[in-house]
Amino acid sequence: MPRLRGSRSPIIGDVTITNGHSVPLAPPRVPAARGRLRDVPVIGPKRVLLAAPRGYCAGVDRAVVAVEKALEQYGEPVYVRKQIVHNVHVVSTLEQRGAVFVDDVSEVPRGSHVVFSAHGVSPAVVAGAADRDLHAIDATCPLVTKVHREATRFAKAERTIILIGHAGHEEVEGTMGHAPDRTILVNGPADVAALDVPDPDNLVWLSQTTLSVDETMETVRLLREKYPSIENPPSDDICYATQNRQVAVKKVAPAADLVIVVGSANSSNSVRLVDVALEYGAKDAHRVDYAEEIRQEWLDGVRTVGVTSGASVPEVLVAEVLEQLADAGYGSVEEVVTAHEDLMFSLPRELRTDADGKSTRPLGGRTR
């Protein structure tokens, strides 16, 4: 049932399933008390290697601000199809401010405002919103929109599209929806051997934007071995932020006894950061939503802790992790910088003016 205007009842239960994980929504938690972790001596000095870039990318910043601005401009409730970004804390915080998250536009009352998430939607979803006279605000990341346009163009040219991505992920569903009859999904390298396509000489590959760069390139290598004439997309589909965060973790991992990745279980790029850390030399790696999830036993014998966060994680959650680690003796923090990000995206056109009708600044990058 839709929530009544002004109500503050939280969403409880599992609302989105991606990457094989069911992720619950709940009110923002109260941060754990300081001093929960003990400072246990180890051989040698303790330190933290803090990866940079980390956290919010331009597309996430744009999407989150879009919901905030929509609430300011139109009042609550503002409906959001799916999680605006894949982060439990962000979604729960917005829910408390008056956003109502739904799985399908059919759940949105006629004539209401609805925001499409950063992961994008298919044309069928857009049409469904129009049929209900909804005022749609498209917060799709422009880098995802780029892939949608590529899929549409290749489908019109009657090309067969091999889409590398995770089945069930909202971004994949949205992209496939732009070329449903011309797209074949490949989850990773293991799927290539069994692949059977109708026209091997008429292929092009595209990818989900938040995948592991290394695994995607291995999938492409195997595709090229099997189908030598397969074409590349016009430009790299894996987004700059995903690549930058993976590069930073690769730099940190060889020196880390433990890597902590802040991010939610249904965030592809966060989950991949754990994998990349282990592949590039970290002795151990774990993902947490919140600092209080760090376990004392993870720190046994650990001198160097690497810390990073997925592209949908606000910096406040990383700061809380650093505070907890400081209580455990890891107060020396060295930032490992591998790139500087300054990309910014404009808000959706419906939100580009303030209350006085003046144009707003572009939004994006690591501003939050």
Side-chain angles (χ1 to χ4, degrees):
M1 292 288 294
R3 194 183 59 181
L4 297 178
R5 180 179 295 271
S7 171
R8 289 297 185 196
S9 59
I11 295 175
I12 301 294
D14 301 336
V15 297
T16 299
I17 299 176
T18 54
N19 300 337
H21 293 276
S22 180
V23 178
L25 296 184
R29 92 289 180 230
V30 176
R34 292 289 302 272
R36 187 180 57 84
L37 298 175
R38 302 188 309 277
D39 186 355
V40 179
V42 299
I43 298 174
K46 294 181 176 182
R47 63 172 178 163
V48 171
L49 298 179
L50 181 60
R54 64 184 175 275
Y56 268 13
C57 64
V60 164
D61 192 35
R62 175 182 186 266
V64 173
V65 175
V67 178
E68 294 172 343
K69 287 275 291 182
L71 286 165
E72 292 173 6
Q73 199 158 308
Y74 305 116
E76 63 173 284
V78 166
Y79 294 83
V80 184
R81 183 187 179 274
K82 304 291 187 180
Q83 293 188 12
I84 185 65
V85 297
H86 284 161
N87 183 264
V88 170
H89 178 79
V90 171
V91 173
S92 298
T93 301
L94 290 172
E95 200 275 344
Q96 288 293 293
R97 294 184 59 176
V100 178
F101 293 87
V102 299
D103 280 331
D104 191 83
V105 293
S106 63
E107 303 171 53
V108 180
R110 286 187 174 275
S112 300
H113 288 88
V114 63
V115 180
F116 298 146
S117 80
H119 309 105
V121 298
S122 68
V125 172
V126 176
D131 288 344
R132 297 187 62 79
D133 297 320
L134 302 180
H135 302 281
I137 299 167
D138 189 359
T140 302
C141 173
L143 300 180
V144 175
T145 299
K146 163 189 167 294
V147 180
H148 290 177
R149 289 172 178 164
E150 290 170 351
T152 300
R153 179 162 61 86
F154 288 128
K156 287 181 179 178
E158 299 186 344
R159 309 292 298 278
T160 297
I161 301 164
I162 305 298
L163 177 62
I164 304 170
H166 296 139
H169 193 284
E170 286 102 309
E171 182 185 331
V172 167
E173 292 176 348
T175 299
M176 294 189 72
H178 282 76
D181 299 326
R182 306 294 308 183
T183 306
I184 299 172
L185 181 63
V186 170
N187 278 277
D191 287 357
V192 175
L195 192 61
D196 185 22
V197 299
D199 188 356
D201 296 321
N202 191 34
L203 300 178
V204 62
W205 68 269
L206 301 175
S207 78
Q208 182 181 330
T209 63
T210 55
L211 299 179
S212 161
V213 177
D214 294 338
E215 183 175 331
T216 301
M217 289 302 99
E218 175 61 13
T219 304
V220 171
R221 184 187 69 80
L222 293 173
L223 285 170
R224 285 182 179 140
E225 284 186 358
K226 189 168 185 177
Y227 305 113
S229 62
I230 191 169
E231 290 190 17
N232 299 326
S235 59
D236 198 349
D237 284 345
I238 297 179
C239 88
Y240 77 96
T242 296
Q243 295 187 55
N244 286 348
R245 281 144 193 74
Q246 290 177 17
V247 169
V249 164
K250 290 176 183 179
K251 185 77 171 177
V252 166
D257 302 304
L258 167 68
V259 170
I260 295 173
V261 176
V262 187
S264 290
N266 64 333
S267 165
S268 285
N269 72 88
S270 297
V271 172
R272 295 288 80 74
L273 288 172
V274 176
D275 298 336
V276 171
L278 293 170
E279 289 168 8
Y280 278 80
K283 295 181 178 65
D284 194 13
H286 296 277
R287 180 201 55 78
V288 299
D289 270 299
Y290 297 114
E292 52 264 38
E293 297 171 21
I294 301 172
R295 299 180 184 176
Q296 185 70 48
E297 57 265 31
W298 295 352
L299 302 175
D300 290 349
V302 169
R303 290 179 52 186
T304 300
V305 181
V307 175
T308 189
S309 59
S312 53
V313 176
E315 187 67 8
V316 63
L317 299 184
V318 176
E320 290 177 3
V321 166
L322 296 178
E323 290 173 356
Q324 292 283 357
L325 290 173
D327 290 338
Y330 301 89
S332 174
V333 179
E334 175 187 344
E335 192 167 50
V336 179
V337 180
T338 57
H340 295 277
E341 296 177 351
D342 56 6
L343 183 63
M344 303 179 79
F345 293 136
S346 295
L347 281 172
R349 58 181 176 80
E350 298 87 353
L351 303 173
R352 291 179 193 168
T353 57
D354 59 21
D356 298 323
K358 297 179 181 178
S359 296
T360 60
R361 66 175 177 86
L363 291 165
R366 300 177 64 240
T367 62
R368 302 170 61 77

